[in-house]
C-alpha cells in the first residue's frame, strides 16, 4: 500500500457577512445568547446564484496551486456536501467541468459534517492501491439555502464556505497516518432535512410545512457529539500508534465552542492545541474541517513534519477523525 500525502490546501469564504446583530432583526434572539451559547459572532453567506460547485471550485484552484500539480494530473475528484448544486449530477462532476479537468473520476460523498474526513479517507484508500495518482478532495456547503430563517434554534448556527485538499502518493513517513469513521443510524432523526428525497418528494405540503429546511434536536446532538468526537480522536491515534501528546494541533468540527471546550477537557488537551474559528464562520458542515486545515497551514500553526488531527461529528449520526503527518 502506498503512503498518501496532503500536498496542497485551499479555501473559499463568501464575502457577505451576516452578524449576530443582523440576526437580531430577523428572529427573536440576541448577540449575547448566540455568543454565550455557541461562540459564534458572524457567518459568511453565499451570493445569490452562487452554488456549492462555485465555492468548491475556487477552494480547489487554491489547493491545486499550493500543491504545484497540473490540474490535468488529477485523476480523482471527491466532493463532500449536503448542499449539492442539484440532487444529481454529483457536484464533483460540476467542479471537474469548471476546472476544465478531463475524465478524472468524480463523485460526491454525503456524511454531513463528517463529510470532509470521510472523503479524505475514501481518497486515501483509492490512492493507496496505486489505481489513482492525484486526488482532489473538496468540501463545499451553502447551508444558508437549507436554513430555516424563521427558526431561531438553528438559523443562528450555520454559515457557507468551502475547503479543498490535493492528495498524492508519496514516499517516506509523511501522509495520512490513520483514519477512523463511525456512524449510528439509530439517531438519524436528531439532525435531518426531512423532504426533497424519495421518502417525501417536494410537494405543496412539504413546502408549506417548511420540510425543506434543516431540523435539529440541539442538546441531544450536543452530548453525543462530545462523546463520539473524543472516541474518534482516540481511535485514530491508536491506529496510528500515537498518543495525544504527539499532536501539534487538532482541527475539530466547529458546531459550538462549548462542544470544542468539552472535547478538549475529555482529551485532557490544552485549548491552545485546538484550532478554533467558529467565531467568524459558524458551522459550515463538511467545509468546516477543510477550511480549518487550510487555515492552520496558511497561518503557520502547523508545517511539514507536524502531526495534526481532524475530528468531526454530524448528521447521520456520523463521526470520524484523521491523523496526518504534514
Ligand atoms: O454540526 C452538526 C452537529 N451539531 C451540533 O453539534 C449542534 C449541537 N447543539 C448545540 O450546539 C446546542 O444545543 C445549541 C446551540 C443548538 C442550543 O444550545 P442549548 O444550550 O442546547 O440551548 P437549548 O436548545 O437547550 O435552548 C435553551 C433556551 C430555550 O429556551 P427555554 O426553553 O429555556 O425558555 C430555547 O428556546 O434557549 C432558547 N433558544 C434561544 N434563545 C435565543 C434557542 N435558540 C435561541 C436563540 N436565541 N437563537
Amino acid at each position: 500500500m502506498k503512503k498518501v500525502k496532503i500536498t496542497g490546501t485551499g479555501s473559499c469564504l463568501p464575502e457577505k457577512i451576516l452578524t449576530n446583530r443582523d440576526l437580531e432583526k430577523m428572529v427573536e434572539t440576541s448577540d449575547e445568547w448566540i455568543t454565550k451559547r455557541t461562540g459564534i459572532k458572524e457567518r459568511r453567506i453565499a451570493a445569490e446564484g452562487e452554488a456549492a460547485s462555485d465555492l468548491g471550485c475556487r477552494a480547489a484552484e487554491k489547493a491545486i496551486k499550493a500543491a504545484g500539480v497540473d490540474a490535468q494530473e488529477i485523476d480523482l475528484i471527491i466532493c463532500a456536501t449536503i448542499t449539492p448544486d442539484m440532487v444529481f449530477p454529483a457536484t464533483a462532476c460540476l467542479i471537474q467541468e469548471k476546472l476544465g479537468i478531463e475524465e478524472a473520476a468524480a463523485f460526491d460523498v454525503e456524511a454531513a459534517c463528517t463529510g470532509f474526513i470521510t472523503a479524505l479517507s475514501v481518497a486515501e484508500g483509492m490512492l493507496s492501491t496505486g489505481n489513482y495518482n492525484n486526488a482532489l478532495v473538496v468540501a463545499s456547503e451553502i447551508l444558508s439555502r437549507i436554513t430555516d430563517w424563521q427558526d431561531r434554534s438553528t438559523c443562528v448556527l450555520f454559515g457557507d464556505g468551502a475547503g479543498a485538499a490535493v492528495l498524492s502518493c508519496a514516499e517516506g513517513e509523511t501522509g495520512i497516518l490513520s483514519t477512523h469513521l463511525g456512524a449510528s443510524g439509530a439517531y438519524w432523526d436528531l439532525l435531518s432535512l426531512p423532504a426533497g428525497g424519495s421518502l417525501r418528494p417536494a410537494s405543496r405540503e412539504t413546502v408549506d410545512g417548511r420540510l425543506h429546511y434543516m431540523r435539529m434536536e440541539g442538546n441531544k446532538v450536543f452530548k453525543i457529539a462530545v462523546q463520539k468526537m473524543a472516541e474518534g480522536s482516540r481511535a485514530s491515534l491508536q491506529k496510528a500508534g500515537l498518543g495525544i501528546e504527539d499532536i501539534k494541533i487538532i482541527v475539530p468540527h466547529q458546531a459550538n465552542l462549548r462542544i470544542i471546550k468539552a472535547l478538549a477537557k475529555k482529551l485532557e488537551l490544552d485549548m491552545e492545541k485546538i484550532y478554533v474559528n467558529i467565531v467568524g464562520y459558524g458551522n459550515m458542515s463538511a467545509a468546516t474541517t477543510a477550511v480549518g486545515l487550510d487555515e492552520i497551514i496558511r497561518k503557520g500553526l502547523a508545517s511539514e513534519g507536524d502531526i495534526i488531527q481532524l475530528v468531526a461529528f454530524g448528521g447521520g449520526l456520523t463521526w470520524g477523525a484523521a491523523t496526518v503527518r504534514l
Side-chain angles (χ1 to χ4, degrees):
M1 298 293 253
K2 296 189 176 190
K3 266 250 152 305
V4 176
K5 186 175 163 62
I6 295 174
T7 54
T9 61
S11 54
C12 171
L13 284 315
E15 274 170 34
K16 185 178 166 191
I17 293 172
L18 184 75
T19 65
N20 290 350
R21 295 278 179 221
D22 297 328
L23 281 162
E24 284 177 353
K25 294 173 205 143
M26 295 161 66
V27 285
E28 203 184 324
T29 191
S30 65
D31 173 43
E32 194 202 346
W33 191 95
I34 303 169
T35 308
K36 205 169 141 203
R37 296 290 199 150
T38 72
I40 304 166
K41 278 284 188 191
E42 52 188 48
R43 65 288 291 145
R44 301 298 181 93
I45 304 292
E48 217 181 308
E50 211 165 29
S53 66
D54 296 313
L55 298 189
C57 182
R58 293 208 286 278
E61 282 167 345
K62 291 180 190 166
I64 291 167
K65 192 173 172 207
V69 290
D70 183 333
Q72 299 306 332
E73 291 174 60
I74 288 166
D75 49 5
L76 173 65
I77 303 174
I78 307 178
C79 180
T81 185
I82 54 166
T83 49
D85 290 24
M86 295 167 253
V87 172
F88 76 90
T91 300
C93 293
L94 305 174
I95 291 172
Q96 186 218 49
E97 195 261 333
K98 284 180 179 164
L99 291 171
I101 298 173
E102 284 161 25
E103 296 203 4
F107 58 89
D108 289 358
V109 302
E110 201 275 79
C113 308
T114 318
F116 182 61
I117 293 170
T118 305
L120 277 184
S121 181
V122 172
E124 191 241 349
M126 291 176 74
L127 290 176
S128 67
T129 61
N131 283 333
Y132 297 87
N133 297 312
N134 300 294
L136 170 66
V137 177
V138 182
S140 185
E141 300 284 19
I142 305 204
L143 298 178
S144 59
R145 304 269 158 76
I146 58 164
T147 296
D148 185 346
W149 294 104
Q150 294 179 12
D151 175 9
R152 71 172 182 175
S153 72
T154 55
C155 77
V156 302
L157 304 172
F158 302 105
D160 302 337
V166 173
L167 274 60
S168 300
C169 296
E171 304 291 326
E173 291 308 302
T174 59
I176 296 176
L177 303 176
S178 71
T179 60
H180 178 83
L181 302 174
S184 181
Y187 294 116
W188 71 268
D189 59 342
L190 295 185
L191 182 46
S192 69
L193 193 155
S198 57
L199 180 65
R200 276 165 151 166
S203 66
R204 186 176 295 277
E205 286 71 34
T206 60
V207 173
D208 290 347
R210 309 187 74 74
L211 299 180
H212 295 275
Y213 298 123
M214 278 180 286
R215 292 188 169 185
M216 177 167 72
E217 289 195 45
N219 25 40
K220 286 189 186 157
V221 175
F222 190 115
K223 288 177 198 128
I224 307 171
V226 176
Q227 184 64 30
K228 291 298 177 190
M229 282 210 291
E231 283 175 22
S233 170
R234 287 196 195 107
S236 177
L237 280 172
Q238 198 182 8
K239 283 182 188 175
L242 297 167
I244 194 81
E245 65 284 355
D246 296 312
I247 300 288
K248 177 83 187 270
I249 191 161
I250 288 192
V251 180
H253 178 52
Q254 317 268 317
N256 189 318
L257 186 56
R258 290 186 290 138
I259 293 181
I260 297 171
K261 285 185 173 165
L263 174 69
K265 202 170 161 197
K266 257 198 182 308
L267 294 177
E268 296 178 26
L269 206 59
D270 199 289
M271 274 302 283
E272 274 172 22
K273 283 196 149 193
I274 302 212
Y275 186 64
V276 178
N277 63 6
I278 190 170
V279 63
Y281 306 142
N283 178 350
M284 300 180 289
S285 187
T288 290
T289 41
V291 170
L293 171 66
D294 182 49
E295 291 190 343
I296 60 162
I297 292 170
R298 286 183 193 265
K299 289 179 179 175
L301 297 172
S303 48
E304 187 115 19
D306 288 334
I307 297 169
I308 61 127
Q309 189 180 64
L310 310 179
V311 55
F313 180 87
L317 295 177
T318 59
W319 57 88
T323 306
V324 181
R325 190 192 291 273
L326 291 176

